[in-house]
Amino acid sequence: MNDSRRRILLATGAGIALGTLGACAMPGGRAGAPARAQVVVVGGGYGGATAAKYIRMWSDNTIDVVLVEPDAAFVSCPFSNLVIGGTRRMADITVPYDGLERAHGVRRVRDTDTRIDTAARKVSLAGGATIGYDKLVVSPGIDFMYDDLPGLRPAAAREQVPHAWKAGPQTVALRRQLEAMPDGGVFAMAIPRAPYRCPPGPYERACMVAAYFKREKPRSKVLVLDGNDDVTSKGKLFKAAWAEHYKGLIEYRPSHTLMDVDVPGRELRFEFDDPVRAAVLNVIPPQRAGSIAVEAGLVTANDRWCEVNFIDFESIVASDVHVLGDSIQPAAEMPKSGHMANQHAKVAAAAILNLLDGIAPNPAPVVMNTCYSFVDDRNVIHVASVHQYDAEKKQPMPVQGAGGVSAAANEIEGKAALAWARNIWADMLA
Ligand SMILES: Cc1cc2nc3c(=O)[nH]c(=O)nc-3n(C[C@H](O)[C@H](O)[C@H](O)COP(=O)(O)OP(=O)(O)OC[C@H]3O[C@@H](n4cnc5c(N)ncnc54)[C@H](O)[C@@H]3O)c2cc1C
């Protein structure tokens, strides 16, 4: 550790050695903490896991990193639509957290962060412990806004009408409902108005369910009820795939604002359009930043998202708190994607190391994104973009001429999509 970092750490005094988390984690137990910086990361998804690994790696393991994550293993939303369509299993999208601990010395605490005290710079966990931090990384993903959908407020109703928009038990639940549905049934999916997690995700899901019906339940139908006025991502490509592969199987209805769900009657109710009854309902509710970010007062945009300084991803309302991934109010044309969360994490990790050393972060970070979508078992389309920080606009702006979309769905991109998943999971977790 260089001298300037040591000085800053002694001044902050909030570090907790990895092996002494329990002893130091008592409320008020930060006195006498060793002079090593400690970064606490809340959430081990695309943003948080990447940040945890890169802070360890780029600091030559001189910074202690504690990752708070309730789940036993990482389960990927990308490729979860293939599990719903029946061509992949949950095991194919599940990656253990061991690599972060074994190869990088990240201390993983399997718990939920229930409180962030930005004044005292500590987090409280459901299990009762508190952990102090020099820098906090918050990457809790999204949570759902059920206030406007009264029928889905009871937890039991949400089990019956799964969103499957967080990969895990709901992915399995939706797959089981499709398996149990008799041939000739209707699968109806409601899409919220943008912004929501993964713009192309719902349309990929329509393809994967239709591909399953084509193989095994050919008299069935996919009904896409979109709260947006048109397909929000890769529209021409998805519509071409629907016409080519799923004529009569997928019906797309735009501008359908969902008002409520009659769960026992299996009916979706819209603002202006006729209600729709279906054998399997999949409602993707409107979304906001993960609840812990809301409760910590980090949400500053439309009561939904956390605004950050895009140089270092520090919250605009809490110093030393860096928010990543789907929880943030995105810059212009910046999608809520796993790839983008991974990029946020690297910019934030580099900035945190600089800040701990008393050095200004890179003033012109560049981030990029590629989202692949399967239109059938093998053929894939992509959208890619590059975003360069613009000092005048104080946010990354899309670089004209960089990125773009596929000319047409093709099998080569199917292979690229598989490689993307393997690479990004290794980049985060190995
Ligand atoms: C069907 C579908 C398909 C998708 N396909 C793609 C794709 O092809 N490419 C792509 O780039 N993106 C894709 N995405 C989007 C991608 O999954 C998200 O953008 C990404 O997961 C965001 O990363 P994150 O770190 O913000 O949140 P997440 O990855 O969701 O991670 C959040 C983590 O925080 C944890 N957490 C939450 N609250 C707390 C708390 N209080 N304490 C501790 N831990 C907490 C959660 O358990 C979770 O592990 C897809 C999404 C869906 C739903």
Side-chain angles (χ1 to χ4, degrees):
M1 191 186 312
N2 68 31
D3 282 350
S4 64
R5 177 176 296 160
R6 190 179 301 281
R7 264 199 315 277
I8 287 162
L9 301 184
L10 287 169
T12 62
I16 294 172
L18 291 179
T20 58
L21 177 73
C24 293
M26 300 303 290
R30 284 166 48 191
R36 264 173 84 98
Q38 175 152 282
V39 177
V40 174
V41 178
V42 176
Y46 276 91
T50 308
K53 169 175 162 178
Y54 274 82
I55 290 168
R56 287 289 292 167
M57 212 167 68
W58 284 344
S59 74
D60 288 333
N61 301 333
T62 60
I63 293 177
D64 293 338
V65 175
V66 180
L67 173 63
V68 181
E69 164 61 53
D71 290 344
F74 168 78
V75 184
S76 174
C77 284
F79 280 71
S80 65
N81 282 332
L82 280 66
V83 175
I84 290 165
T87 56
R88 290 287 189 287
R89 294 163 305 123
M90 286 302 284
D92 299 322
I93 60 167
T94 302
V95 187
Y97 282 116
D98 309 9
L100 280 181
E101 294 166 292
R102 237 189 4 253
H104 301 287
V106 171
R107 168 76 182 269
R108 186 165 62 93
V109 177
R110 199 172 161 202
D111 207 333
T112 300
D113 178 13
T114 52
R115 185 158 183 265
I116 297 171
D117 182 340
T118 53
R121 289 197 295 167
K122 64 184 184 189
V123 300
S124 305
L125 309 187
T130 62
I131 312 174
Y133 62 80
D134 295 285
K135 298 279 183 192
L136 180 68
V137 173
V138 180
S139 191
I142 47 139
D143 271 305
F144 301 104
M145 298 159 70
Y146 286 109
D147 289 358
D148 297 335
L149 297 172
L152 288 182
R153 279 186 208 142
R158 297 180 208 165
E159 301 284 311
Q160 290 174 56
V161 181
H163 49 73
W165 218 240
K166 290 186 183 189
Q170 287 241 332
T171 313
V172 176
L174 185 55
R175 174 66 196 159
R176 290 211 175 115
Q177 288 194 13
L178 289 168
E179 284 170 344
M181 189 191 86
D183 190 10
V186 172
F187 165 76
M189 172 174 51
I191 304 172
R193 284 193 73 78
Y196 59 85
R197 159 176 281 186
C198 192
Y203 313 108
E204 178 190 60
R205 177 169 293 177
C207 293
M208 292 300 93
V209 175
Y212 167 60
F213 288 168
K214 197 169 164 181
R215 283 194 314 271
E216 298 190 29
K217 298 184 178 175
R219 294 188 299 114
S220 307
K221 188 170 164 180
V222 174
L223 198 48
V224 182
L225 302 148
D226 199 337
N228 299 285
D229 296 338
D230 204 349
V231 173
T232 59
S233 175
K234 299 180 255 192
K236 276 191 188 152
L237 292 164
F238 277 117
K239 286 178 184 172
W242 296 344
E244 187 184 339
H245 300 289
Y246 308 117
K247 215 170 177 56
L249 256 172
I250 295 182
E251 184 184 332
Y252 178 71
R253 297 185 192 166
S255 312
H256 273 57
T257 304
L258 187 68
M259 300 304 282
D260 203 359
V261 183
D262 172 5
V263 176
R266 309 214 68 73
E267 190 174 87
L268 302 177
R269 295 185 180 153
F270 299 94
E271 190 176 18
F272 300 119
D273 305 274
D274 290 339
V276 167
R277 295 191 79 178
V280 176
L281 300 180
N282 174 208
V283 171
I284 304 167
Q287 295 151 33
R288 57 166 173 68
S291 299
I292 186 66
V294 179
E295 284 149 22
L298 300 172
V299 166
T300 50
N302 307 322
D303 270 344
R304 290 177 75 178
W305 310 112
C306 307
E307 287 167 283
V308 296
N309 170 352
F310 284 102
I311 291 285
D312 56 10
F313 286 83
E314 189 175 48
S315 158
I316 63 161
V317 288
S319 34
D320 298 319
V321 178
H322 300 252
V323 189
L324 314 177
D326 287 356
S327 276
I328 72 162
Q329 166 75 0
E333 296 177 47
M334 180 182 268
K336 291 192 181 294
S337 76
H339 196 147
M340 193 48 90
N342 167 276
Q343 297 277 291
H344 295 172
K346 289 176 186 172
V347 173
I352 285 169
L353 298 194
N354 276 11
L355 291 167
L356 286 170
D357 271 346
I359 302 168
N362 172 11
V366 181
V367 292
M368 65 204 77
N369 181 71
T370 305
C371 272
Y372 293 99
S373 301
F374 283 76
V375 302
D376 64 20
D377 294 349
R378 279 197 288 274
N379 288 289
V380 165
I381 54 181
H382 83 269
V383 57
S385 53
V386 178
H387 308 250
Q388 163 95 57
Y389 187 78
D390 180 320
E392 262 176 40
K393 297 195 168 83
K394 292 194 167 22
Q395 59 175 300
M397 295 301 291
V399 176
Q400 297 310 313
V405 295
S406 315
N410 62 86
E411 291 196 15
I412 291 175
E413 290 195 42
K415 295 192 173 92
L418 291 167
W420 174 89
R422 275 195 304 272
N423 286 333
I424 199 163
W425 296 341
D427 189 45
M428 298 159 58
L429 296 161

